[in-house]
mmCIF file of all heavy atoms in Angstrom:
data_model
loop_
_atom_site.group_PDB
_atom_site.id
_atom_site.type_symbol
_atom_site.label_atom_id
_atom_site.label_comp_id
_atom_site.label_asym_id
_atom_site.label_seq_id
_atom_site.Cartn_x
_atom_site.Cartn_y
_atom_site.Cartn_z
ATOM 1 N N LEU A 258 91.216 85.180 102.214
ATOM 2 C CA LEU A 258 90.685 86.543 102.051
ATOM 3 C C LEU A 258 89.278 86.614 102.636
ATOM 4 O O LEU A 258 88.517 85.647 102.551
ATOM 5 C CB LEU A 258 90.635 86.926 100.567
ATOM 6 C CG LEU A 258 91.969 86.897 99.822
ATOM 7 C CD1 LEU A 258 91.755 87.255 98.349
ATOM 8 C CD2 LEU A 258 92.970 87.847 100.467
ATOM 9 N N LEU A 262 85.392 90.665 100.647
ATOM 10 C CA LEU A 262 86.394 91.170 99.700
ATOM 11 C C LEU A 262 86.433 90.275 98.451
ATOM 12 O O LEU A 262 86.505 90.786 97.318
ATOM 13 C CB LEU A 262 87.773 91.225 100.369
ATOM 14 C CG LEU A 262 88.959 91.558 99.444
ATOM 15 C CD1 LEU A 262 88.760 92.910 98.750
ATOM 16 C CD2 LEU A 262 90.275 91.568 100.232
ATOM 17 N N LEU A 266 86.077 91.487 94.646
ATOM 18 C CA LEU A 266 87.108 91.248 93.621
ATOM 19 C C LEU A 266 86.487 90.584 92.401
ATOM 20 O O LEU A 266 86.823 90.905 91.257
ATOM 21 C CB LEU A 266 88.232 90.360 94.177
ATOM 22 C CG LEU A 266 89.025 90.912 95.366
ATOM 23 C CD1 LEU A 266 90.084 89.901 95.818
ATOM 24 C CD2 LEU A 266 89.667 92.251 95.045
ATOM 25 N N LEU A 465 91.201 99.533 91.434
ATOM 26 C CA LEU A 465 91.445 98.826 92.706
ATOM 27 C C LEU A 465 92.805 99.292 93.201
ATOM 28 O O LEU A 465 93.740 99.433 92.409
ATOM 29 C CB LEU A 465 91.466 97.320 92.451
ATOM 30 C CG LEU A 465 91.799 96.374 93.623
ATOM 31 C CD1 LEU A 465 91.113 95.023 93.407
ATOM 32 C CD2 LEU A 465 93.297 96.165 93.831
ATOM 33 N N LEU A 467 95.680 98.873 96.602
ATOM 34 C CA LEU A 467 96.109 98.330 97.897
ATOM 35 C C LEU A 467 97.142 99.265 98.508
ATOM 36 O O LEU A 467 98.118 99.628 97.832
ATOM 37 C CB LEU A 467 96.782 96.974 97.703
ATOM 38 C CG LEU A 467 95.918 95.818 97.204
ATOM 39 C CD1 LEU A 467 96.594 95.127 96.029
ATOM 40 C CD2 LEU A 467 95.661 94.830 98.323
ATOM 41 N N ILE A 488 91.630 98.785 99.371
ATOM 42 C CA ILE A 488 91.994 97.734 100.334
ATOM 43 C C ILE A 488 93.145 98.207 101.221
ATOM 44 O O ILE A 488 94.266 98.453 100.739
ATOM 45 C CB ILE A 488 92.433 96.439 99.604
ATOM 46 C CG1 ILE A 488 91.369 96.004 98.597
ATOM 47 C CG2 ILE A 488 92.703 95.326 100.621
ATOM 48 C CD1 ILE A 488 91.823 94.883 97.662
ATOM 49 N N ILE A 501 92.937 93.723 104.560
ATOM 50 C CA ILE A 501 93.573 92.421 104.721
ATOM 51 C C ILE A 501 94.634 92.561 105.808
ATOM 52 O O ILE A 501 95.094 93.668 106.075
ATOM 53 C CB ILE A 501 94.184 91.877 103.403
ATOM 54 C CG1 ILE A 501 95.175 92.857 102.783
ATOM 55 C CG2 ILE A 501 93.094 91.476 102.423
ATOM 56 C CD1 ILE A 501 95.890 92.315 101.539
ATOM 57 N N LEU A 506 99.179 88.744 102.213
ATOM 58 C CA LEU A 506 97.937 88.440 101.486
ATOM 59 C C LEU A 506 97.774 89.261 100.198
ATOM 60 O O LEU A 506 96.804 89.070 99.454
ATOM 61 C CB LEU A 506 96.722 88.668 102.400
ATOM 62 C CG LEU A 506 96.524 87.600 103.486
ATOM 63 C CD1 LEU A 506 95.380 87.985 104.404
ATOM 64 C CD2 LEU A 506 96.239 86.235 102.860
ATOM 65 N N VAL A 507 98.711 90.159 99.940
ATOM 66 C CA VAL A 507 98.589 91.005 98.741
ATOM 67 C C VAL A 507 98.638 90.156 97.465
ATOM 68 O O VAL A 507 97.839 90.342 96.531
ATOM 69 C CB VAL A 507 99.678 92.106 98.742
ATOM 70 C CG1 VAL A 507 99.789 92.788 97.388
ATOM 71 C CG2 VAL A 507 99.365 93.131 99.822
ATOM 72 N N GLY A 508 99.546 89.185 97.442
ATOM 73 C CA GLY A 508 99.639 88.298 96.273
ATOM 74 C C GLY A 508 98.327 87.551 96.040
ATOM 75 O O GLY A 508 97.912 87.377 94.887
ATOM 76 N N ALA A 509 97.673 87.146 97.126
ATOM 77 C CA ALA A 509 96.403 86.407 96.993
ATOM 78 C C ALA A 509 95.321 87.299 96.377
ATOM 79 O O ALA A 509 94.518 86.852 95.537
ATOM 80 C CB ALA A 509 95.950 85.881 98.350
ATOM 81 N N VAL A 510 95.298 88.565 96.767
ATOM 82 C CA VAL A 510 94.314 89.507 96.194
ATOM 83 C C VAL A 510 94.562 89.647 94.688
ATOM 84 O O VAL A 510 93.638 89.534 93.864
ATOM 85 C CB VAL A 510 94.420 90.899 96.882
ATOM 86 C CG1 VAL A 510 93.611 91.940 96.118
ATOM 87 C CG2 VAL A 510 93.952 90.804 98.326
ATOM 88 N N LEU A 511 95.828 89.892 94.329
ATOM 89 C CA LEU A 511 96.152 90.131 92.911
ATOM 90 C C LEU A 511 95.905 88.865 92.086
ATOM 91 O O LEU A 511 95.382 88.937 90.964
ATOM 92 C CB LEU A 511 97.603 90.604 92.782
ATOM 93 C CG LEU A 511 97.914 91.937 93.487
ATOM 94 C CD1 LEU A 511 99.412 92.206 93.481
ATOM 95 C CD2 LEU A 511 97.158 93.090 92.809
ATOM 96 N N ARG A 512 96.258 87.710 92.661
ATOM 97 C CA ARG A 512 96.030 86.446 91.936
ATOM 98 C C ARG A 512 94.531 86.207 91.750
ATOM 99 O O ARG A 512 94.097 85.760 90.690
ATOM 100 C CB ARG A 512 96.704 85.295 92.697
ATOM 101 C CG ARG A 512 96.574 83.931 92.059
ATOM 102 C CD ARG A 512 97.032 83.897 90.608
ATOM 103 N NE ARG A 512 98.451 84.180 90.424
ATOM 104 C CZ ARG A 512 98.986 84.534 89.250
ATOM 105 N NH1 ARG A 512 98.237 84.672 88.156
ATOM 106 N NH2 ARG A 512 100.272 84.794 89.150
ATOM 107 N N ALA A 513 93.737 86.524 92.776
ATOM 108 C CA ALA A 513 92.282 86.318 92.664
ATOM 109 C C ALA A 513 91.721 87.179 91.535
ATOM 110 O O ALA A 513 90.916 86.702 90.715
ATOM 111 C CB ALA A 513 91.596 86.658 93.989
ATOM 112 N N VAL A 514 92.146 88.434 91.454
ATOM 113 C CA VAL A 514 91.636 89.310 90.382
ATOM 114 C C VAL A 514 92.038 88.738 89.022
ATOM 115 O O VAL A 514 91.223 88.676 88.086
ATOM 116 C CB VAL A 514 92.147 90.763 90.535
ATOM 117 C CG1 VAL A 514 91.634 91.638 89.400
ATOM 118 C CG2 VAL A 514 91.727 91.348 91.871
ATOM 119 N N ALA A 515 93.291 88.289 88.906
ATOM 120 C CA ALA A 515 93.766 87.737 87.621
ATOM 121 C C ALA A 515 92.958 86.488 87.253
ATOM 122 O O ALA A 515 92.518 86.349 86.099
ATOM 123 C CB ALA A 515 95.252 87.408 87.710
#
Side-chain angles (χ1 to χ4, degrees):
L258 301 178
L262 172 58
L266 298 179
L465 176 152
L467 294 130
I488 307 170
I501 56 175
L506 286 175
V507 167
V510 169
L511 298 171
R512 181 53 64 198
V514 179

